[in-house]
Amino acid sequence: MMKICTFLSAFLIASFAQLQAEVSHRLLITDYGGNRVCILSATGEIEWEYPASTPQDCWLLANGNVLFSQITGAVEVTRDKKVVWQYNAPPKAKVHSCQPLPDGTVLVAECFMSRLVIVGRDGKVVKELPVKSTPKVMSHQFRGVRRCEDGHFWVCLMDEQKVVELDADGCPLREIPLDGQPGAVVKLPNGHLIISLWNKTEIIELDADLKPVWRIGENELPGNPLRIPMGLHRLPNGNTIFGNYIGHGFTGKQPMLFEVTPDKKVVWEFADHARFKTVCQVQILDTPADPLKGEVLR
């Protein structure tokens, strides 16, 4: 009996290791600490890169261009590295989030300015949405911000430990208080929200009634504690991919990206500390997506 159990254990371990080895993804990532945006092949080669000042959000557009946020605003760059669109935020603003919108405009969130702006193709603000906010640290005012297909905005008020929903004109609809600082929020097709909590080092999923239905705590992935989970996405197969921002003393010590099954099994991870420092956001490029609908994956 002991030999059978030992054999089964070895078989299961080997099978899981093989599963991990078989899963791979082509990626668009922001290396916040490395000051660049990169496209990586499924085998990890850098296909394309572009310098950026502490970039956080990123999108591969249908035309092949890359849109990303950086601390001074947002930029759209062609694959031959020509800037075709740029928004420069006011000098005192800090930008950590952007999103392409269906009409060609771009949503940008500005810390210190307490506002969301929609920017036209000429780089000028066409709509301003003030957001009532009183953070203790202004650079921690906003993190992930998304507009959904219904026109509503979901805003991570990081320092105030809450996510707010705004209508199409920026009027508050509801606040969701959280036990931690939200880094990213994604509304799923079923109405659920998945949220990464920066300082609590956990990811939570709330149903339409805002009741917790799923979570990953700091130490639930054996051998891979979460550090600062940031950008996250739900894949069509039900798995969740998220960035593990390993700054603040953890650089080089943990994987930078994970793919986790609903029952919290790690089936893929990315760690390349020789070439990258701190990965914040990721877009999986081998899964169908329409970024103009406000989702990286669907």
Side-chain angles (χ1 to χ4, degrees):
M1 179 62 102
M2 181 65 73
K3 290 183 178 180
I4 293 175
C5 290
T6 302
F7 172 78
L8 287 174
S9 296
F11 174 78
L12 290 172
I13 292 171
S15 298
F16 182 62
Q18 182 179 5
L19 177 61
Q20 285 186 300
E22 290 175 352
V23 176
S24 61
H25 293 293
R26 186 166 174 260
L27 311 169
L28 170 66
I29 63 171
T30 53
D31 184 3
Y32 184 92
N35 292 305
R36 59 180 173 162
V37 181
C38 298
I39 294 176
L40 305 180
S41 72
T43 54
E45 290 87 4
I46 298 176
E47 295 181 359
W48 180 90
E49 62 180 311
Y50 193 83
S53 178
T54 56
Q56 191 150 313
D57 226 345
C58 59
W59 306 80
L60 181 65
L61 305 179
N63 61 9
N65 294 352
V66 175
L67 173 72
F68 60 89
S69 68
Q70 58 181 352
I71 202 70
T72 56
V75 182
E76 181 182 336
V77 182
T78 65
R79 298 293 279 279
D80 57 358
K81 302 184 179 181
K82 295 179 180 178
V83 174
V84 293
W85 179 88
Q86 187 164 357
Y87 170 66
N88 294 315
K92 70 176 183 178
K94 305 294 182 186
V95 174
H96 300 292
S97 183
C98 70
Q99 179 186 354
L101 301 179
D103 62 358
T105 59
V106 177
L107 172 66
V108 178
E110 296 179 344
C111 295
F112 287 88
M113 305 300 292
S114 301
R115 68 176 188 170
L116 312 181
V117 293
I118 295 176
V119 185
R121 296 307 301 177
D122 59 359
K124 297 180 180 179
V125 173
V126 297
K127 189 172 185 178
E128 178 180 354
L129 303 168
V131 179
K132 185 179 179 180
S133 174
T134 55
K136 295 179 181 178
V137 180
M138 289 301 295
S139 61
H140 290 176
Q141 183 173 34
F142 302 128
R143 278 306 183 267
V145 175
R146 291 290 182 262
R147 194 181 82 169
C148 294
E149 289 187 77
D150 61 5
H152 292 186
F153 300 89
W154 290 89
V155 183
C156 289
L157 293 179
M158 179 177 166
D159 202 39
E160 296 169 81
Q161 300 194 161
K162 61 185 177 183
V163 167
V164 296
E165 180 184 8
L166 312 176
D167 70 12
D169 294 317
C171 297
L173 296 175
R174 58 176 167 168
E175 293 186 355
I176 303 171
L178 300 163
D179 184 24
Q181 297 176 323
V185 58
V186 175
K187 185 179 181 182
L188 302 176
N190 62 2
H192 289 200
L193 299 173
I194 49 174
I195 303 169
S196 59
L197 298 177
W198 172 290
N199 60 330
K200 294 291 289 187
T201 58
E202 69 177 13
I203 295 168
I204 59 172
E205 179 176 345
L206 306 177
D207 67 14
D209 297 319
L210 304 181
K211 295 179 180 179
V213 294
W214 187 75
R215 70 181 292 276
I216 300 177
E218 179 179 4
N219 296 303
E220 288 194 71
L221 305 180
N224 284 317
L226 303 190
R227 292 311 180 194
I228 301 176
M230 286 298 293
L232 47 82
H233 306 289
R234 179 63 50 80
L235 296 173
N237 63 6
N239 292 354
T240 302
I241 284 186
F242 59 92
N244 197 34
Y245 178 83
I246 49 175
H248 301 279
F250 298 109
T251 303
K253 296 180 181 180
Q254 300 295 332
M256 301 164 168
L257 297 167
F258 290 102
E259 179 180 345
V260 179
T261 64
D263 58 352
K264 305 176 188 179
K265 299 293 190 301
V266 177
V267 296
W268 172 81
E269 62 185 45
F270 174 79
D272 187 341
H273 302 296
R275 294 186 299 169
F276 303 99
K277 292 184 178 180
T278 52
V279 175
C280 273
Q281 186 60 276
V282 57
Q283 181 178 346
I284 306 302
L285 303 182
D286 48 22
T287 302
D290 184 354
L292 296 185
K293 290 185 177 180
E295 299 290 342
V296 176
L297 299 171
R298 57 179 172 88

Coordinates of all heavy atoms in Angstrom, one line a residue, residues 26 28 39 58-67 76-79 84 99-102 104 121 283 285 287-296 298:
R26 N 1.7 34.2 -24.9 CA 2.3 35.4 -25.5 C 1.8 36.6 -24.7 O 0.5 36.7 -24.5 CB 2.0 35.5 -27.0 CG 2.7 36.6 -27.7 CD 2.6 36.4 -29.2 NE 3.1 37.5 -30.0 CZ 2.4 38.5 -30.5 NH1 1.1 38.5 -30.4 NH2 3.0 39.5 -31.1
L28 N 1.8 41.0 -23.4 CA 2.1 42.4 -23.4 C 2.2 42.8 -21.9 O 1.2 42.5 -21.2 CB 1.1 43.2 -24.1 CG 1.2 44.8 -23.9 CD1 2.4 45.3 -24.6 CD2 0.0 45.5 -24.5
I39 N 6.5 43.3 -25.5 CA 5.7 42.1 -26.0 C 6.7 40.9 -25.9 O 7.8 41.0 -26.4 CB 5.2 42.3 -27.4 CG1 4.1 43.5 -27.4 CG2 4.6 41.0 -28.0 CD1 3.6 43.8 -28.8
C58 N -1.6 48.8 -19.9 CA -1.2 48.6 -21.3 C -2.3 47.8 -22.1 O -3.0 47.0 -21.5 CB 0.1 47.8 -21.4 SG 0.1 46.2 -20.6
W59 N -2.3 48.1 -23.4 CA -3.3 47.6 -24.3 C -2.7 47.4 -25.7 O -2.1 48.3 -26.2 CB -4.5 48.5 -24.4 CG -5.1 48.9 -23.2 CD1 -4.7 49.9 -22.3 CD2 -6.3 48.4 -22.6 NE1 -5.6 50.1 -21.3 CE2 -6.6 49.1 -21.4 CE3 -7.2 47.4 -23.0 CZ2 -7.7 48.9 -20.6 CZ3 -8.3 47.2 -22.2 CH2 -8.6 47.9 -21.0
L60 N -2.9 46.2 -26.2 CA -2.6 46.0 -27.6 C -3.8 46.2 -28.4 O -4.9 45.5 -28.2 CB -2.1 44.5 -27.9 CG -1.7 44.2 -29.3 CD1 -0.5 45.1 -29.8 CD2 -1.4 42.8 -29.5
L61 N -3.8 47.2 -29.3 CA -5.0 47.6 -30.1 C -5.1 46.8 -31.3 O -4.2 46.1 -31.8 CB -4.9 49.1 -30.4 CG -4.7 50.0 -29.3 CD1 -4.6 51.5 -29.7 CD2 -5.8 49.9 -28.2
A62 N -6.3 46.8 -31.9 CA -6.6 46.0 -33.1 C -5.7 46.3 -34.3 O -5.4 45.5 -35.1 CB -8.1 46.2 -33.5
N63 N -5.2 47.6 -34.4 CA -4.3 48.0 -35.4 C -2.9 47.6 -35.2 O -2.0 47.9 -36.0 CB -4.4 49.5 -35.7 CG -4.0 50.3 -34.5 OD1 -3.5 49.8 -33.5 ND2 -4.3 51.6 -34.5
G64 N -2.6 46.9 -34.1 CA -1.3 46.5 -33.8 C -0.5 47.4 -32.9 O 0.6 47.1 -32.5
N65 N -1.0 48.7 -32.7 CA -0.3 49.6 -31.9 C -0.5 49.3 -30.4 O -1.4 48.5 -30.0 CB -0.9 51.0 -32.1 CG -0.6 51.6 -33.5 OD1 0.1 50.9 -34.3 ND2 -1.2 52.7 -33.9
V66 N 0.4 49.8 -29.6 CA 0.4 49.6 -28.2 C 0.1 50.9 -27.5 O 0.7 51.9 -27.7 CB 1.7 49.1 -27.7 CG1 1.7 49.0 -26.1 CG2 2.0 47.7 -28.3
L67 N -1.0 50.9 -26.6 CA -1.3 52.0 -25.8 C -0.9 51.7 -24.4 O -1.2 50.6 -23.9 CB -2.8 52.3 -25.9 CG -3.4 53.3 -24.9 CD1 -3.0 54.7 -25.4 CD2 -4.9 53.2 -24.8
E76 N 0.4 56.2 -27.4 CA 0.1 55.1 -28.4 C 1.3 55.1 -29.3 O 1.7 56.1 -29.9 CB -1.2 55.3 -29.1 CG -1.5 54.2 -30.1 CD -2.8 54.5 -30.9 OE1 -3.6 55.2 -30.4 OE2 -2.9 53.9 -32.0
V77 N 1.9 53.9 -29.5 CA 3.1 53.7 -30.3 C 2.9 52.6 -31.3 O 2.3 51.6 -31.0 CB 4.3 53.4 -29.4 CG1 5.6 53.2 -30.2 CG2 4.5 54.4 -28.3
T78 N 3.4 52.8 -32.5 CA 3.3 51.8 -33.5 C 4.3 50.7 -33.2 O 5.3 50.9 -32.4 CB 3.5 52.3 -34.9 OG1 4.9 52.8 -35.0 CG2 2.5 53.5 -35.2
R79 N 4.2 49.6 -34.0 CA 5.2 48.5 -33.8 C 6.6 48.9 -34.3 O 7.6 48.3 -33.9 CB 4.7 47.2 -34.4 CG 3.4 46.8 -33.8 CD 3.6 46.3 -32.3 NE 4.1 45.0 -32.3 CZ 3.3 43.9 -32.4 NH1 2.0 44.0 -32.6 NH2 3.8 42.7 -32.4
V84 N 2.1 57.9 -32.3 CA 1.0 58.4 -33.2 C 0.0 59.1 -32.3 O -0.9 59.7 -32.9 CB 0.4 57.2 -33.9 CG1 1.4 56.7 -34.9 CG2 -0.1 56.1 -33.0
Q99 N -7.3 53.6 -20.7 CA -8.1 52.6 -21.4 C -8.6 53.2 -22.8 O -9.1 54.3 -22.8 CB -9.4 52.3 -20.6 CG -10.3 51.3 -21.2 CD -11.5 51.0 -20.4 OE1 -11.7 51.6 -19.3 NE2 -12.5 50.3 -21.0
P100 N -8.4 52.4 -23.9 CA -8.9 52.9 -25.1 C -10.5 52.8 -25.2 O -11.0 51.8 -24.7 CB -8.3 51.9 -26.1 CG -8.1 50.7 -25.4 CD -7.7 51.1 -24.0
L101 N -11.1 53.7 -25.8 CA -12.6 53.7 -25.9 C -13.0 53.5 -27.3 O -12.2 53.8 -28.2 CB -13.2 55.0 -25.3 CG -12.8 55.2 -23.8 CD1 -13.4 56.6 -23.3 CD2 -13.3 54.1 -22.9
P102 N -14.2 53.0 -27.6 CA -14.6 52.7 -28.9 C -14.6 53.8 -30.0 O -14.4 53.5 -31.1 CB -16.1 52.2 -28.7 CG -16.1 51.7 -27.3 CD -15.2 52.6 -26.6
G104 N -12.3 56.0 -30.3 CA -11.0 56.4 -30.5 C -10.4 57.3 -29.4 O -9.2 57.6 -29.4
R121 N -8.3 62.5 -30.1 CA -7.2 62.1 -30.9 C -6.2 63.2 -31.1 O -5.1 63.0 -31.5 CB -7.7 61.6 -32.3 CG -8.5 60.3 -32.2 CD -7.8 59.2 -31.5 NE -6.5 58.8 -32.1 CZ -5.7 57.9 -31.6 NH1 -6.0 57.3 -30.5 NH2 -4.5 57.6 -32.2
Q283 N -1.4 41.8 -20.6 CA -2.5 41.4 -21.6 C -2.0 40.1 -22.2 O -1.0 40.1 -22.8 CB -2.8 42.5 -22.6 CG -3.9 42.1 -23.6 CD -4.2 43.2 -24.6 OE1 -3.7 44.4 -24.4 NE2 -4.9 42.9 -25.6
L285 N -2.0 37.7 -25.1 CA -2.2 38.0 -26.5 C -2.6 36.8 -27.3 O -2.9 36.9 -28.5 CB -0.9 38.6 -27.1 CG -0.4 39.8 -26.5 CD1 0.8 40.4 -27.2 CD2 -1.5 40.9 -26.4
T287 N -5.3 34.9 -26.5 CA -6.7 34.7 -26.1 C -7.6 35.8 -26.8 O -7.2 37.0 -26.8 CB -6.9 34.8 -24.6 OG1 -6.1 33.8 -24.0 CG2 -8.4 34.5 -24.2
P288 N -8.7 35.4 -27.5 CA -9.5 36.5 -28.1 C -9.9 37.6 -27.2 O -10.3 37.3 -26.0 CB -10.7 35.7 -28.6 CG -10.2 34.3 -28.7 CD -9.2 34.1 -27.6
A289 N -9.8 38.8 -27.7 CA -10.2 40.0 -26.8 C -10.6 41.1 -27.7 O -10.2 41.2 -28.9 CB -9.0 40.3 -25.9
D290 N -11.4 42.0 -27.1 CA -11.7 43.3 -27.8 C -11.5 44.4 -26.8 O -12.4 44.7 -26.0 CB -13.1 43.3 -28.3 CG -13.5 44.5 -29.1 OD1 -12.7 45.4 -29.1 OD2 -14.6 44.6 -29.6
P291 N -10.3 45.0 -26.8 CA -10.1 46.1 -25.8 C -11.0 47.3 -25.9 O -11.2 48.0 -24.9 CB -8.6 46.5 -26.1 CG -8.4 46.1 -27.5 CD -9.2 44.9 -27.7
L292 N -11.6 47.5 -27.0 CA -12.6 48.6 -27.2 C -13.9 48.4 -26.4 O -14.7 49.3 -26.3 CB -12.8 48.9 -28.6 CG -11.6 49.4 -29.4 CD1 -12.0 49.7 -30.8 CD2 -10.9 50.5 -28.8
K293 N -14.1 47.2 -26.0 CA -15.3 46.9 -25.1 C -14.9 47.0 -23.7 O -15.7 46.7 -22.8 CB -15.8 45.5 -25.4 CG -16.5 45.4 -26.8 CD -17.1 44.0 -27.0 CE -17.8 44.0 -28.4 NZ -18.4 42.6 -28.6
G294 N -13.7 47.5 -23.4 CA -13.4 47.7 -22.0 C -12.8 46.5 -21.3 O -12.6 46.5 -20.1
E295 N -12.6 45.4 -22.0 CA -12.0 44.2 -21.4 C -10.8 43.8 -22.2 O -10.7 43.9 -23.4 CB -13.0 43.1 -21.4 CG -14.3 43.4 -20.7 CD -14.1 43.4 -19.2 OE1 -13.1 42.9 -18.7 OE2 -15.0 43.9 -18.5
V296 N -9.8 43.3 -21.5 CA -8.6 42.8 -22.1 C -8.9 41.3 -22.6 O -8.5 40.9 -23.6 CB -7.4 42.8 -21.2 CG1 -6.2 42.1 -21.8 CG2 -7.0 44.2 -20.8
R298 N -12.1 38.2 -22.7 CA -13.5 37.9 -22.6 C -13.8 36.4 -22.9 O -12.9 35.7 -23.4 CB -14.4 38.8 -23.5 CG -14.0 38.7 -25.0 CD -14.9 39.6 -25.8 NE -14.4 39.6 -27.2 CZ -14.7 38.7 -28.1 NH1 -15.5 37.7 -27.8 NH2 -14.3 38.8 -29.4

